[in-house]
């Protein structure tokens, strides 16, 4: 079905309903460390949540994982929060494989979500700069670090949400590209992801890669939005044939159980970084989610490319989707 969604032509497939806190004030949000407060009024933007962006603060470079192996490294995250904030929905925003939390487009997404009233945790995760083929190197150690760091970010968000005015009981995940891959499996599998890697690591000498700073339990994730998520791109590497055991850890289908979470999978019609068959594969997967009770939908935005678009109708569509999912977690 072709419809109009937030002014954008889309094909909508409905398948079911440790750094200090030094504070710096100013108008530039891309400061290197500490906390930045936005004081300059921003242009108006119409959304379902607000017609004017809220003021926000950014707390930068909080260490959320420590290295547990020689291959891994400690990593940091930023927190974007509208001010004042109280009991607001929380989002963990996961960047794509070639990016990090400090990239302009990632920071812009974090800022705009905060301006719309969300508390946003933005980690640099382990897949920054890692190619699909690189994920499978060294018996999957980069992939294991990616999943472990993602789960650590979720724990950190749950433990620290209230410090930034967020509700730890209302945490959603938003992921782009590789971040969508990590985030969807983390949401579906939770602690089972850790257990599966632990068993695999014992058999293949792929040890734990990172240590979580937070000791909080994994939160129950009730909402997920993926923007051009690379959920099945590892099929391009032939992983399902070359290493079925590793593929089992990378295949979202292996983490499916009955659920009721709200899942929105946004795909770009002009995405030239994933193969054409990927849309069909994700569409089938979403139907499987629906059959298990998930509220799952796909939107194919005809003019959208692979990377984030943070202005105009395409962004309005994406923002509306994220706000709707976050508000109903």
């Amino acid at each position: 079905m072709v419809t109009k969604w937030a002014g954008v032509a889309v094909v909508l497939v409905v398948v079911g309903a440790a750094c200090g806190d030094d504070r710096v004030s100013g108008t530039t949000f891309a400061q290197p460390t500490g906390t930045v407060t936005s004081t300059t009024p921003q242009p108006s933007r119409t959304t379902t949540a607000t017609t004017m962006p809220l003021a926000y603060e950014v707390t930068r470079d909080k260490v959320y994982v420590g290295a547990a192996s020689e291959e891994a490294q400690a990593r940091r995250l930023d927190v974007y929060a509208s001010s004042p904030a109280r009991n607001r929905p929380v989002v963990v925003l996961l960047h794509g494989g070639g990016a990090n939390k400090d990239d302009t487009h990632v920071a812009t997404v974090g800022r705009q979500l905060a301006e719309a009233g969300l508390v946003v945790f933005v980690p640099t995760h382990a897949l920054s700069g890692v190619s699909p083929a690189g994920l499978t190197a060294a018996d999957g150690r980069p992939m294991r670090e990616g999943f472990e760091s993602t789960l650590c970010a979720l724990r950190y968000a749950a433990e620290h949400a209230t410090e930034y005015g967020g509700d730890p009981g209302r945490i959603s995940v938003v992921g782009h590209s590789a971040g969508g891959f990590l985030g969807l499996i983390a949401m579906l599998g939770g602690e089972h992801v850790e257990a599966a890697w632990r068993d695999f690591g014992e058999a293949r000498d792929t040890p734990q890669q990172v240590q979580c700073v937070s000791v909080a339990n994994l939160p129950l994730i009730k909402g997920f939005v993926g923007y051009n998520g690379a959920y099945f791109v590892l099929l391009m590497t032939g992983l399902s044939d070359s290493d079925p055991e590793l593929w089992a850890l990378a295949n979202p289908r292996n983490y499916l159980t009955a659920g009721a979470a709200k899942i929105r999978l946004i795909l770009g019609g002009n995405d030239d970084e994933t193969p054409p068959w990927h849309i069909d594969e994700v569409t089938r997967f979403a139907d499987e989610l629906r059959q298990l009770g998930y509220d799952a939908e796909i939107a194919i935005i005809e003019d959208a490319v692979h990377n984030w678009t943070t202005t105009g109708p395409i962004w309005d569509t994406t923002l509306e989707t994220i706000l709707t999912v976050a508000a109903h977690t």
Side-chain angles (χ1 to χ4, degrees):
M1 169 174 72
V2 179
T3 185
K4 290 285 184 179
W5 189 16
V8 182
V10 302
V11 178
L12 181 62
V13 183
V14 181
V15 295
C19 190
D21 286 335
D22 297 334
R23 294 182 178 270
V24 180
S25 296
T27 59
T28 303
F29 73 90
Q31 299 292 328
T33 60
T35 298
V36 179
T37 303
S38 169
T39 58
T40 302
Q42 303 294 319
S44 63
R45 178 180 64 241
T46 301
T47 72
T48 56
T50 180
T51 57
M52 283 294 294
L54 301 172
Y56 69 96
E57 293 183 346
V58 187
T59 302
R60 298 194 179 279
D61 291 329
K62 305 297 291 185
V63 175
Y64 76 100
V65 292
S69 74
E70 294 181 357
E71 297 86 2
Q73 59 181 288
R75 297 188 184 271
R76 300 171 184 266
L77 57 75
D78 297 338
V79 187
Y80 295 73
S82 54
S83 178
R86 182 178 180 184
N87 295 327
R88 294 190 184 277
V90 175
V91 163
V92 175
L93 174 63
L94 303 173
H95 61 74
N100 60 64
K101 70 176 181 63
D102 297 317
D103 279 5
T104 299
H105 68 281
V106 178
T108 299
V109 173
R111 170 177 63 83
Q112 294 200 49
L113 294 182
E115 288 177 341
L118 305 180
V119 175
V120 190
F121 290 78
V122 188
T124 291
H125 57 71
L127 301 194
S128 179
V130 178
S131 67
L135 290 179
T136 65
D139 280 327
R141 292 188 187 196
M143 196 191 310
R144 180 169 187 174
E145 186 181 352
F147 282 117
E148 288 178 343
S149 60
T150 299
L151 295 171
C152 287
L154 295 176
R155 284 194 167 93
Y156 190 96
E159 185 171 283
H160 296 279
T162 56
E163 298 174 22
Y164 302 96
D167 183 349
R170 303 171 66 195
I171 299 178
S172 301
V173 175
V174 175
H176 168 238
S177 194
F181 163 68
L182 292 175
L184 181 62
I185 289 180
M187 186 209 73
L188 293 172
E191 293 181 350
H192 176 60
V193 178
E194 292 178 320
W197 275 103
R198 186 166 54 248
D199 293 343
F200 177 88
E202 291 175 355
R204 298 275 287 268
D205 193 25
T206 302
Q208 179 179 347
Q209 298 294 293
V210 300
Q211 184 69 44
C212 295
V213 168
S214 173
V215 296
N217 292 330
L218 277 173
L220 177 62
I221 306 301
K222 301 177 183 178
F224 173 83
V225 178
Y227 189 85
N228 285 322
Y231 314 112
F232 297 99
V233 167
L234 283 176
L235 287 174
M236 293 193 314
T237 68
L239 186 62
S240 58
D241 295 324
S242 63
D243 194 337
E245 292 177 339
L246 187 56
W247 169 240
L249 297 170
N251 183 356
R253 288 184 169 92
N254 287 337
Y255 299 93
L256 288 179
T257 58
K262 187 180 293 290
I263 297 175
R264 298 293 182 264
L265 307 175
I266 302 173
L267 302 175
N270 285 339
D271 181 357
D272 60 358
E273 295 192 28
T274 56
W277 56 259
H278 197 258
I279 289 180
D280 293 334
E281 191 70 27
V282 175
T283 301
R284 285 192 293 270
F285 179 66
D287 186 64
E288 295 165 22
L289 288 168
R290 179 198 58 79
Q291 293 179 37
L292 289 168
Y294 291 92
D295 177 1
E297 294 182 5
I298 287 183
I300 303 170
I301 305 179
E302 293 180 337
D303 295 333
V305 297
H306 183 73
N307 288 330
W308 287 108
T309 299
T310 56
T311 60
I314 291 175
W315 170 246
D316 289 341
T317 298
T318 306
L319 178 60
E320 294 288 347
T321 303
I322 295 171
L323 293 179
T324 299
V325 170
H328 288 85
T329 55

